Amino acid sequence: LLVEGDARWEFRYLKSALERDKRVELSTILFRQPFLQLLNRPFLDSRLPEVAALKQQLSNTDILIVGDVKPTNLPEVFWQAVEQAVADDSLTLMIVPGRRFMPHRYSSATLQRLLPVSDAKQQLAERIRRTLPDEAPTAFRLQPTVQASDLTMFDFSDPNSNENQMTLSSLPGHPWAYAGVPKPVASVWATVDIEGMNLDARDMATVVHQYYGFGQVVWFGVDSTWRWRRRAGDRWHHQFWGQVVRWAARNKSAAGNDQVRMTLSDVIIDESEGVDISVRWNPNTAAQLEAAVIEAVVESLDEAPLSQPHAVVSQPRTLQLSPMPSSPERYQGRLSGLEAGSYRIRLKVSNSRLKLKESIESELVVQPRLSTELANISCNRDFLQQLSTATGG
């Protein structure tokens, strides 16, 4: 669900990219749009649905992207419905702030609780360093942090290309950014910097993430990712936003109930890969988790072949999950070294007053590792040309 005030450039390119992605079902609300009274209603929805319908829509939404919207268009009842969907239904909320309204014009206490930053300030690159004649315009570049090193949404690598790989910091820059002070429970995923300036990263937190109940909130403090299309078309812009939507959908698809949720980073891997297991408990259960042992039990779903009825099927394997220091209700672990086959990942709790209401489990498929020739079947024309030249055809 994409909610925006005016059709700024970021909205136009983002809406176009998501509409052309056949795996994304996009709903859009644009409050201010040209309307010549030739039709009965504007082309896009221009108002929020009724509260009951809004709650139902949010419960079925993977990610809600809110842009620079006037406070009168998003009343407190909207933010209360969003807070409930984030905390209870694993909704991902992404705030893409703007220069006019979001969030500095808002007085919503609910929005302030949801935001992973405080004391946010707008930054202009030209005010930090003036552009000299015949120079490219001064611009901020996003710099990913160590905490974001394993995020798929920031991965622009192409395993089938021999060219220099694109990174977040090498993409076209941004003339404006909205940086804030991360809250104690938040994680900074990217800061902004100007080449040759070495700005203080503590004041330039621009992409900030925090877990909120069973959901999560992302502050994305630039509104010009459309600039990544320069001389590249859809390549980087579409890839980034497609990865963002899929990352949010994976969080929504967690197995569990109102007591606990368990998420696998992938459900299909090969033998050379591992899978990250993340468990999120309801914050109200934190007191009961003291001294608890949280484990993931890995059970094979493959039966012995008919030709070998007495073959030994692999025994269940147990992985103990570790609590995150900043979030005691969150546990995580990495599972690797599995042979090809189908598995059930089941959550197990021991040494605790807390009892699972029901079995929490997910399935995992491990595929055989392909040879290099079969894993990468793209044509390497340069190498073939060299081979042809060296051998005389």
Side-chain angles (χ1 to χ4, degrees):
L1 174 60
L2 180 60
V3 180
E4 184 60 89
D6 292 277
R8 54 179 176 167
W9 289 112
E10 185 75 339
F11 166 81
R12 297 185 187 200
Y13 281 103
L14 175 56
K15 175 178 176 293
S16 175
L18 295 179
E19 280 183 334
R20 286 182 283 117
D21 192 327
K22 295 181 179 180
R23 290 174 290 181
V24 173
E25 181 181 346
L26 178 67
S27 301
T28 306
I29 298 175
L30 180 64
F31 288 101
R32 287 170 51 86
Q33 51 187 296
F35 184 38
L36 302 178
Q37 309 292 331
L38 299 179
L39 302 174
N40 294 331
R41 56 184 296 275
F43 182 73
L44 300 173
D45 289 335
S46 60
R47 61 183 62 184
L48 294 173
E50 297 296 328
V51 176
L54 174 64
K55 290 182 177 181
Q56 180 63 36
Q57 183 177 8
L58 291 177
S59 68
N60 297 321
T61 298
D62 294 311
I63 181 170
L64 166 64
I65 303 174
V66 179
D68 195 18
V69 184
K70 187 184 298 185
T72 54
N73 293 134
L74 298 180
E76 186 69 8
V77 65
F78 169 82
W79 293 113
Q80 290 171 351
V82 170
E83 181 183 40
Q84 180 181 353
V86 171
D88 299 337
D89 298 324
S90 302
L91 174 69
T92 295
L93 169 64
M94 176 174 278
I95 302 292
V96 184
R99 310 186 189 200
R100 300 177 63 192
F101 306 112
M102 176 64 74
H104 48 276
R105 297 288 186 183
Y106 281 80
S107 58
S108 167
T110 307
L111 174 60
Q112 296 306 317
R113 287 195 302 270
L114 287 167
L115 289 178
V117 298
S118 59
D119 300 323
K121 296 180 180 179
Q122 299 187 43
Q123 307 280 357
L124 278 175
E126 285 287 340
R127 289 185 178 177
I128 297 176
R129 189 182 72 184
R130 292 287 183 183
T131 301
L132 298 177
D134 301 325
E135 274 190 350
T138 302
F140 292 116
R141 300 297 177 103
L142 285 172
Q143 305 289 340
T145 64
V146 175
Q147 293 172 300
S149 59
D150 60 345
L151 286 178
T152 56
M153 71 173 69
F154 290 159
D155 183 8
F156 295 94
S157 61
D158 183 357
N160 298 325
S161 174
N162 295 323
E163 303 175 359
N164 292 332
Q165 298 292 339
M166 181 63 71
T167 62
L168 186 65
S169 57
S170 57
L171 289 167
H174 312 272
W176 173 90
Y178 213 143
V181 177
K183 292 182 178 177
V185 296
S187 301
V188 179
W189 282 355
T191 61
V192 287
D193 200 359
I194 297 176
E195 186 176 359
M197 292 293 292
N198 294 322
L199 302 176
D200 190 346
R202 292 174 297 181
D203 300 327
M204 293 295 177
T206 308
V207 182
V208 186
H209 169 273
Q210 79 171 3
Y211 291 106
Y212 196 96
F214 288 131
Q216 53 192 350
V217 184
V218 178
W219 169 270
F220 195 78
V222 293
D223 67 346
S224 50
T225 60
W226 56 270
R227 294 176 180 270
W228 296 348
R229 295 176 51 85
R230 181 174 180 265
R231 298 181 180 176
D234 275 342
R235 186 173 184 181
W236 310 121
H237 181 262
H238 189 278
Q239 179 176 338
F240 171 75
W241 284 106
Q243 290 171 169
V244 167
V245 170
R246 285 155 184 76
W247 165 80
R250 186 169 66 237
N251 183 74
K252 182 80 170 186
S253 63
N257 49 36
D258 59 358
Q259 183 185 35
V260 62
R261 304 287 173 91
M262 180 176 68
T263 308
L264 305 184
S265 59
D266 293 285
V267 293
I268 301 177
I269 62 174
D270 68 36
E271 292 175 302
S272 64
E273 299 175 322
V275 59
D276 293 319
I277 302 175
S278 177
V279 174
R280 295 164 294 157
W281 294 93
N282 189 316
N284 296 331
T285 65
Q288 304 176 55
L289 290 173
E290 294 183 6
V293 177
I294 311 298
E295 297 173 311
V297 180
V298 185
E299 302 169 326
S300 175
L301 296 178
D302 296 330
E303 298 180 355
L306 295 177
S307 59
Q308 299 177 351
H310 301 294
V312 178
V313 180
S314 59
Q315 296 298 316
R317 175 177 167 183
T318 301
L319 172 68
Q320 184 168 341
L321 306 179
S322 304
M324 296 179 62
S326 58
S327 303
E329 73 278 4
R330 298 184 59 83
Y331 286 73
Q332 60 183 3
R334 183 168 181 80
L335 182 65
S336 59
L338 292 176
E339 297 178 352
S342 299
Y343 297 88
R344 178 190 296 115
I345 313 296
R346 179 171 53 83
L347 187 63
K348 178 182 177 182
V349 182
S350 57
N351 196 30
S352 171
R353 294 176 295 160
L354 190 64
K355 303 298 180 183
L356 290 176
K357 297 178 181 179
E358 59 187 75
S359 179
I360 307 299
E361 56 189 43
S362 293
E363 292 189 5
L364 173 68
V365 175
V366 181
Q367 299 175 334
R369 183 177 183 180
L370 298 176
S371 64
T372 304
E373 290 81 2
L374 292 178
N376 182 4
I377 59 174
S378 62
C379 175
N380 188 337
R381 185 178 181 85
D382 293 338
F383 176 73
L384 293 177
Q385 186 68 45
Q386 294 173 20
L387 185 64
S388 177
T389 302
T391 60

